[in-house]
Amino acid sequence: MRLWAMLCVFAVGAAHAADMTAVRYVDQDPGDPPYLTRILLTPDFMRLDDGNDDGDFILLDRGQQKVINVMRGNQQAMVFSAGKLPPRPAGWKPVLDVQAGAPGTQRFRLTVKGVVCNEGVAAARAAPEAARAMAELKSILAPMQYRVWQDTPAELQHDCDLANQVWESGTTLKLGLPLEEREFTGRTRQFESESKQPLRPELFRVPDSMPRVDAPS
């Protein structure tokens, strides 16, 4: 019933014209307290932050296919551009199991070599453009994530990192917006709310005084 009520809220919200979408999650890493992640979306941009307008944020420029990590403390904006990934490894056969959930939702489980890498609940009609933008961001960052994986000591490398961040980074997002999510590391995500708000263009701008630094390609 709770998920059905959520979907009713989505349907009502979609009936009212607005300039940007705000999606809020409660995320938690193992051993750490939960924290808020706010996602602001327009047709051209997506911003991820902790709910603080004046704090650090990640900006996806959807037209330019760039991700900009704005770090106010360092007075620097790191720019990640879309790149190419090497071919998938031979024998790479992830399995995505999808089952019907509450009305309007699907339960999913992504496994690699029998290990559950990611599982949760997705809703196809819940802010679908937000789900697409999240997949775009992951796709742009995938080459960087692959380099991080390569530089990780062999004993700490895990196929699920390649699944969640590289080869299958957008697979579960094709099912819709995540309402619940749990990764193999124990990291969790719980949907909190979705709303329509008047556009605030200043939230989607990198400060003019902040130099942009291109990340390694």
Side-chain angles (χ1 to χ4, degrees), residues 10-217:
F10 285 129
V12 171
H16 295 82
D19 292 313
M20 72 178 181
T21 300
V23 178
R24 296 164 67 93
Y25 285 103
V26 176
D27 294 335
Q28 187 167 14
D29 298 310
D32 293 334
Y35 58 92
L36 171 71
T37 296
R38 179 179 67 169
I39 298 173
L40 302 176
L41 181 73
T42 75
D44 299 318
F45 298 101
M46 180 175 70
R47 169 177 167 141
L48 288 78
D49 59 34
D50 63 359
N52 180 4
D53 293 347
D54 299 320
D56 295 346
F57 64 95
I58 295 173
L59 182 68
L60 167 66
D61 185 327
R62 305 182 72 186
Q64 296 294 320
Q65 285 291 283
K66 295 181 182 294
V67 175
I68 306 169
N69 185 13
V70 175
M71 299 168 284
R72 297 185 189 275
N74 296 338
Q75 280 298 298
Q76 182 174 285
M78 185 70 71
V79 181
F80 299 86
S81 299
K84 292 184 178 181
L85 286 170
R88 284 172 167 78
W92 180 259
K93 295 181 179 179
V95 176
L96 178 63
D97 179 55
V98 181
Q99 304 288 335
T105 72
Q106 298 180 92
R107 304 197 69 88
F108 63 84
R109 176 175 289 184
L110 178 66
T111 61
V112 174
K113 298 179 182 178
V115 177
V116 178
C117 296
N118 192 15
E119 60 183 339
V121 177
R125 296 181 61 187
E129 196 61 27
R132 282 191 285 271
M134 291 161 68
E136 291 169 18
L137 181 143
K138 282 192 155 191
S139 176
I140 294 170
L141 295 180
M144 179 272 293
Q145 298 285 10
Y146 182 72
R147 290 194 299 273
V148 170
W149 184 87
Q150 283 185 307
D151 293 339
T152 300
E155 64 272 16
L156 299 178
Q157 290 179 341
H158 201 293
D159 287 337
C160 281
D161 287 319
L162 290 177
N164 292 340
Q165 306 298 335
V166 183
W167 308 119
E168 312 301 325
S169 62
T171 297
T172 61
L173 287 165
K174 292 178 182 177
L175 302 174
L177 190 77
L179 301 182
E180 300 174 13
E181 203 166 13
R182 181 180 181 86
E183 297 183 357
F184 79 104
T185 58
R187 183 179 183 276
T188 61
R189 162 163 284 188
Q190 182 72 45
F191 170 82
E192 183 182 82
S193 66
E194 184 265 355
S195 62
K196 305 293 183 179
Q197 300 178 6
L199 178 63
R200 296 178 58 194
E202 70 276 9
L203 295 180
F204 300 94
R205 296 192 188 115
V206 177
D208 292 335
S209 61
M210 188 173 291
R212 301 192 185 199
V213 179
D214 289 332
S217 58

